[in-house]
Amino acid sequence: MKKILDLIAGELKPVFAECGYDEAYAKVNLSNRPDLCEYQCNGAMAAAKAYRKKPIDIASDVVEKAAGNPMFAEISAVMPGFINIRLNGEWLAGYLNGMRTQEKLGLEAPEQPETLIVDYGGANVAKPLHVGHLRAAIIGESVKRMGKFLGHHVIGDVHLGDWGLQMGLIIEELRDRKPELPYFDEGFTGEYPQEAPFTIGELEEIYPAASAKSKEDTDEGRAFKERAQTATFKLQSGYKPYYAIWQHIMKVSLADLKKNYDSLNVHFDLWKGESDAQPYIPGLIQELIDKGLAYESQGALVVDIAEETDAKELPPCIIRKSDGAALYATSDLATIVERERDFHPDHYIYVVDKRQELHFTQVFRVAKKAGIVGPERKMDFLGFGTMNGRDGKPYKTREGGVMRLERLISEVNEAAYQKIMENRTVSEEEARETAKIVGLSALKYGDLSNQAAKDYVFDIDRFTSFEGNTGPYILYTIVRIKSILNKDGGQPADGAILPSVTEAERALQLEITKYNEVLNASFDEIAPHKICQYVYDLSNACNRFYHDTRIITEENQAQKESWLSLVRLAKDVLETCIGLLGIDAPDRM
Ligand code: ARG
């Protein structure tokens, strides 16, 4: 279905043309004064300059000719030249009935579906997932879901950090602990064991121990770090025994990462990582040299990316260090080479900490300059801010340590459980299960309701509250509607929606119709927070309507069915929208 704003504009265009004005002026917005009208067109103001007329005269011309249109209950010209519009109630009900009966609630399919890569998650293998990775997962998952639902071909890639120094650190720590392992026996010629020489529990302990050791300011610490660097380099050059250890690390760690992402209801289409880009690096570097883009600077190989219009001077992108090692940017560029080959995407979206902005500016510019991607390719960096504690500093455990994701989730679930038990409408057992859903909604909504680039304060009490702009409040609204529908004997509630009779009903109807517009705008602007704002507004409209209207005891059967259909539609819109945020609703709470 077309968006209401476009449908209204579609009616006004021929009228503008008929009156002798360019139809491009027939643009329609939601009214910012809902007390005066529902929609408005400000085109007369813009046209006034072009046609050297008073805006009010243009507006009056248009209104006079549009007055008989059955789509409008009211259309009027208001000083200095606004065109104010109220929809006809029948027409509005018809639109809602269209939404109710169409696939995806009448969402408009994109004219040109695009192939889109969403690069998010970015976990580092063998290091525990911590809250720093939370935002990438939550926001990226939402962007991916939005794109898919809108009808694009979307590929969500976790892009693991799986090729860095942590691998060398683990290898050397393992050597110190278990020197008898065949991987450390240079003369070993047999098959390496299938079984990993560590469990996930051990691995989780090995990495921090090794990392701490390498940071010690002693001869031992420095020597250990050097060994780790050498081991990393050997691994990256394909040294078999270390590659075998690497495979074990990957297998053990990935199983654990998947479990963690699953518990966040975050799912990737691709589990690729930096290691997958390695084969493309030599060719990439050669191409950059051949094209005359890469040059030597202080022993390193760099590509200039500065542009005249830059507000401040941007440093060149380093492609290869003086010791021959490839860098983060090289790996991201090589990944683009691979993605172009595999998917030829129209659009890339990277959901990464905003402190990496310069890195992505460099990568995007080199990719375009070198023709790795065409000039028309859309490349977006969605940089997110930090999740802070109430002290305004990055969120920590009460003891001041780095917060593990698992622990954060269990704390949120506990808080949600307490809130559910306060209501005491479900058994303890059910409350435990429901708390997982509600807790996750608190966590995700608390994050997504902020503009991604902003830092925000993680406030567990506020996020788990059933009141205010929170995930649990949205879920509570949905659950409430489900219970109304159940009270009516669980009938499918598929009677026709009738024109509204009350203000609260009208407001709810209008709110529902914004669905199409909001989903498209949220995706175009890569802004899940707009969906949050919408579900909050819609929830408020639902609760106001529900408060105002005795649905179940209504005697007029057609009226009752209309209301049931209306709240069901509202619920379907809410559930669809939160689904795009990666949030599910329980049946009771
Ligand atoms: N692993 C990186 C980190 O933890 C994030 C990866 C982001 N994605 C990318 N294509 N660089 O900082």
Side-chain angles (χ1 to χ4, degrees):
M1 284 168 81
K2 284 224 162 88
K3 298 172 199 114
I4 285 218
L5 295 179
D6 293 342
L7 288 170
I8 302 175
E11 296 297 314
L12 293 186
K13 273 181 185 167
V15 181
F16 268 76
E18 204 185 315
C19 297
Y21 310 114
D22 192 328
E23 61 167 36
Y25 292 110
K27 226 177 125 345
V28 176
N29 305 312
L30 275 176
S31 156
N32 47 16
R33 288 287 306 273
D35 50 324
L36 297 180
C37 63
E38 293 164 349
Y39 301 91
Q40 78 193 40
C41 166
N42 302 338
M45 246 86 75
K49 288 194 196 83
Y51 297 96
R52 296 172 182 279
K53 281 194 179 178
K54 280 204 224 112
I56 190 70
D57 292 344
I58 297 178
S60 303
D61 281 358
V62 171
V63 163
E64 198 181 313
K65 290 222 160 52
N69 191 315
M71 188 170 170
F72 310 131
E74 201 184 310
I75 177 161
S76 53
V78 179
M79 282 300 274
F82 300 112
I83 299 170
N84 286 355
I85 296 165
R86 270 177 68 84
L87 286 176
N88 172 289
E90 294 272 353
W91 190 92
L92 180 56
Y95 189 87
L96 293 165
N97 284 314
M99 283 182 72
R100 207 165 59 74
T101 47
Q102 290 189 30
E103 217 186 304
K104 293 189 185 178
L105 306 170
L107 185 75
E108 217 176 354
E111 274 168 35
Q112 283 263 291
E114 57 180 29
T115 298
L116 167 65
I117 301 259
V118 184
D119 179 314
Y120 70 110
N124 298 316
V125 171
K127 300 188 194 177
L129 268 185
H130 57 78
V131 297
H133 293 111
L134 182 68
R135 298 208 72 191
I138 292 178
I139 300 170
E141 177 73 11
S142 174
V143 172
K144 182 199 75 179
R145 288 181 183 218
M146 276 157 53
K148 283 193 179 177
F149 188 70
L150 255 62
H152 298 290
H153 174 49
V154 186
I155 302 141
D157 184 3
V158 65
H159 198 75
L160 299 168
D162 61 358
W163 205 235
L165 182 63
Q166 79 262 41
M167 298 300 176
L169 286 166
I170 293 168
I171 291 170
E172 287 309 313
E173 179 66 20
L174 204 58
R175 181 200 306 280
D176 287 356
R177 292 183 185 203
K178 303 183 180 174
E180 71 284 1
L181 288 173
Y183 313 96
F184 305 118
D185 172 4
E186 303 245 344
F188 185 80
T189 50
E191 287 273 314
Y192 290 114
Q194 294 285 312
E195 198 65 14
F198 39 69
T199 62
I200 181 66
E202 284 161 345
L203 191 58
E204 281 181 352
E205 187 260 323
I206 290 175
Y207 171 72
S211 166
K213 214 162 159 188
S214 73
K215 286 183 187 133
E216 270 169 33
D217 191 16
T218 59
D219 285 346
E220 259 186 8
R222 281 183 285 273
F224 183 75
K225 186 168 178 189
E226 247 187 73
R227 273 168 54 200
Q229 280 163 338
T230 310
T232 308
F233 191 74
K234 276 178 104 168
L235 165 69
Q236 295 180 346
S237 324
Y239 181 59
K240 280 222 172 70
Y242 293 178
Y243 193 76
I245 299 179
W246 178 82
Q247 284 177 310
H248 288 309
I249 298 175
M250 288 296 282
K251 202 162 166 214
V252 170
S253 185
L254 242 59
D256 186 57
L257 275 174
K258 285 198 172 141
K259 202 182 77 203
N260 271 289
Y261 280 124
D262 270 348
S263 73
L264 279 175
N265 203 359
V266 166
H267 311 282
F268 300 94
D269 304 298
L270 279 186
W271 282 82
K272 292 255 185 184
E274 293 177 351
S275 63
D276 293 290
Q278 300 312 306
Y280 300 90
I281 289 181
L284 165 74
I285 292 184
Q286 195 53 51
E287 195 182 332
L288 292 171
I289 295 172
D290 291 348
K291 289 196 166 142
L293 292 171
Y295 65 92
E296 295 258 345
S297 168
Q298 294 164 15
L301 196 64
V302 304
V303 176
D304 284 332
I305 54 117
E307 287 172 8
E308 259 174 36
T309 47
D310 292 339
K312 59 173 196 262
E313 201 178 328
L314 298 183
C317 180
I318 307 178
I319 302 296
R320 193 176 60 203
K321 284 201 294 189
S322 47
D323 64 6
L327 288 133
Y328 189 35
T330 329
S331 160
D332 264 319
L333 283 164
T335 304
I336 297 176
V337 174
E338 183 188 18
R339 287 173 176 165
E340 286 294 315
R341 196 203 63 172
D342 291 351
F343 305 109
H344 198 64
D346 303 292
H347 191 178
Y348 291 81
I349 300 177
Y350 293 81
V351 184
V352 185
D353 191 311
K354 72 176 173 196
R355 285 169 292 192
Q356 296 193 19
E357 179 162 17
L358 173 62
H359 164 76
F360 284 101
T361 303
Q362 292 177 319
V363 168
F364 295 170
R365 287 192 184 176
V366 175
K368 290 225 163 146
K369 254 182 125 166
I372 301 169
V373 303
E376 74 294 341
R377 189 77 78 256
K378 286 196 272 179
M379 304 195 90
D380 281 305
F381 170 65
L382 181 63
F384 52 80
T386 310
M387 178 174 127
N388 289 324
R390 277 192 234 176
D391 57 1
K393 298 201 188 100
Y395 197 78
K396 293 255 159 54
T397 60
R398 240 166 264 129
E399 302 79 48
V402 174
M403 181 63 116
R404 298 272 304 260
L405 195 57
E406 273 170 308
R407 175 154 164 208
L408 180 79
I409 293 175
S410 81
E411 286 187 6
V412 176
N413 288 353
E414 183 58 32
Y417 172 74
Q418 299 298 343
K419 293 258 159 64
I420 294 168
M421 289 309 281
E422 279 168 24
N423 284 1
R424 288 225 165 266
T425 53
V426 294
S427 70
E428 238 168 79
E429 201 184 325
E430 188 178 340
R432 278 282 168 216
E433 276 311 302
T434 308
K436 288 188 200 151
I437 304 176
V438 176
L440 199 53
S441 83
L443 194 63
K444 288 191 169 184
Y445 192 92
D447 187 305
L448 292 169
S449 53
N450 302 285
Q451 216 174 316
K454 294 211 171 114
D455 298 345
Y456 72 93
V457 172
F458 179 77
D459 182 337
I460 204 164
D461 285 333
R462 188 168 76 73
F463 286 8
T464 54
S465 168
F466 283 22
E467 280 152 42
N469 191 4
T470 69
Y473 169 67
I474 311 296
L475 298 192
Y476 190 65
T477 307
I478 293 172
V479 165
R480 225 169 150 188
I481 299 177
K482 284 186 180 174
S483 107
I484 300 172
L485 295 173
N486 277 333
K487 263 192 207 127
D488 192 52
Q491 296 301 313
D494 56 7
I497 294 175
L498 302 172
S500 61
V501 288
T502 69
E503 268 312 306
E505 183 183 8
R506 177 78 171 197
L508 175 57
Q509 290 189 346
L510 287 170
E511 206 54 52
I512 292 174
T513 64
K514 291 181 194 163
Y515 159 82
N516 201 334
E517 176 81 23
V518 169
L519 259 46
N520 277 287
S522 308
F523 179 68
D524 290 346
E525 295 164 39
I526 325 177
H529 74 275
K530 295 207 157 176
I531 296 186
C532 292
Q533 186 58 49
Y534 176 57
V535 292
Y536 181 54
D537 291 344
L538 181 53
S539 295
N540 285 336
C542 283
N543 288 312
R544 240 175 275 132
F545 170 67
Y546 178 65
H547 182 262
D548 258 34
T549 318
R550 297 274 148 266
I551 301 177
I552 298 298
T553 53
E554 171 61 39
E555 279 170 11
N556 178 331
Q557 196 55 28
Q559 183 62 74
K560 177 175 166 180
E561 279 181 23
S562 158
W563 283 337
L564 285 170
S565 287
L566 182 65
V567 291
R568 197 193 67 165
L569 178 59
K571 174 192 74 82
D572 289 345
V573 170
L574 285 172
E575 277 195 305
T576 302
C577 289
I578 62 167
L580 302 182
L581 303 173
I583 299 173
D584 294 326
D587 287 329
R588 294 187 295 184
M589 64 193 266

